[in-house]
Amino acid sequence: MSWFSRLEGQLKVEDVLLSSVAEKYGTPCYVYSRSGCETGYNEYKKALEWCPGGGRVCYAVKANSNLSILSLLADLGSGFEIVSVGELERVLAAGGEGQKVVFCGVCKEEHEIRRALEVEIFCFNVESEKELELIQKVAESMKKVAPISLRVNPDIDPRTHPYISTGLKENKFGIESKKAVLVYQKAAALPNVKIIGIACHIGSQILTMEPLLEAFDCIMGLVQELKDLGITINHIDIGGGLGVQYSNDENPPSPSEYLSRIKSKLLEKSRDIPDIIVQPGRSIVAEAGVLLTRVNFIKETSNKSFAVIDASMTDLLRPSLYGAYHKIEPVDYDENKTEIECDVVGPVCESGDFIGKKRRLRIIDGDLIVVYGAGAYGHCMSSNYNSRNRPAEVLVDGNKMKLVRRRETIRDQLQLELTEFNSQ
Ligand code: LLP
């Protein structure tokens, strides 16, 4: 994480002191490094250079859908993986190209399919026969042909948190691998869909390569079976899922390690190599962002200490939802402050409202702290629970900082609602 460093104990992102971000925009606040995001993307792009078709990086918009993040990735040439028409509109608003979009998700609704066909997206990753029929119907009504892949569920355990595993038979995602060939045959007979690829995504925050490679073997087997039946697959979409290092005992493989294994597997099998698509979210943006928050005060009880901060589960849900670990540090590291052990908690009325447990920190009332690894699945999972305003987002580029989403106000929240049944 070279974009975060200390200058005489003071934490900086690129060339900007985090204390100056807090001074200018207040807390809680998400702060992202532009070069962090770019590095994340470029690693994948480089790791795919060997692909005959050049490979495609389709950034998973759900990880961080701020328009400025999408726009900087679009400028680098990134494609996008979306799961809703809302995400599609974000990509387009940010200057992304519709033709570089892959549409995933278990249920794409009719209006979403229509919009995606209008902007001529690259591919629909189909997750059920019913969805295939709906895509055929909508495409026919628009006199268009929809490019499709089937998302296959290979029934492989990604060895991650159960809530973010997606490739097991008990998960709702994809088409069972043993039924995939039949569904492909059915798709091949439909006049308004065109088979272009095959897809798989088995989960997120995956820390070992084995399950990913096992899934790839399953997909390669299917590609061969389909070839024997005269169905050509132009690309394999291997999904996202590579983990990041939230704590020192997590050692995820790098994109280049992972993709060089994929390359060897493909070369072993045939000369006729399909193009590779990846859909990473977390591994591009997680480490490029922090949540900057202030310790309102330290609350001591006879049992333990709590650092009560101005951020909460409504700003960063991962610790509460998955028991996820995020490293926490003071912005100003001061040896002279006594280290305390505390639970870092928010003001929300839930005992599950914590950002960290049993952390040893040199902090006192009023100090700023940062929560690392917050660039992915941070702001985008925030909520208004307890009528809290969503935090601001700031993007840093060298010595410049820019507010890329203003802090919500209570007015923003109230204007969506009525005070009485009959009012307009
Ligand atoms: N492609 C598909 C079809 C996906 O469902 C996902 C993530 C991705 C790509 C991107 O996966 P990544 O590279 O980011 O692991 N909220 C959870 C993560 C949910 C991931 C859902 N799908 C968390 O905070 O850990």
Side-chain angles (χ1 to χ4, degrees), residues 128-164:
S128 65
E129 281 188 73
K130 295 232 167 119
E131 196 177 70
L132 180 65
E133 286 158 14
L134 185 60
I135 292 173
Q136 159 61 30
K137 191 181 108 186
V138 179
E140 187 182 15
S141 74
M142 293 173 75
K143 300 194 175 53
K144 290 206 173 228
V145 175
I148 63 138
S149 290
L150 296 189
R151 172 173 174 181
V152 174
N153 180 328
D155 191 23
I156 287 167
D157 184 356
R159 295 174 231 161
T160 184
H161 191 283
Y163 289 6
I164 52 176

Side-chain angles (χ1 to χ4, degrees), residues 60 62 151 164 201 204 241 279-282 318 322 377 381:
K62 62 177 84 65
R151 172 173 174 181
I164 52 176
H201 170 82
S204 198
Q279 306 173 344
R282 187 190 315 265
R318 303 194 71 255
Y322 314 114
Y377 305 112
M381 289 174 75

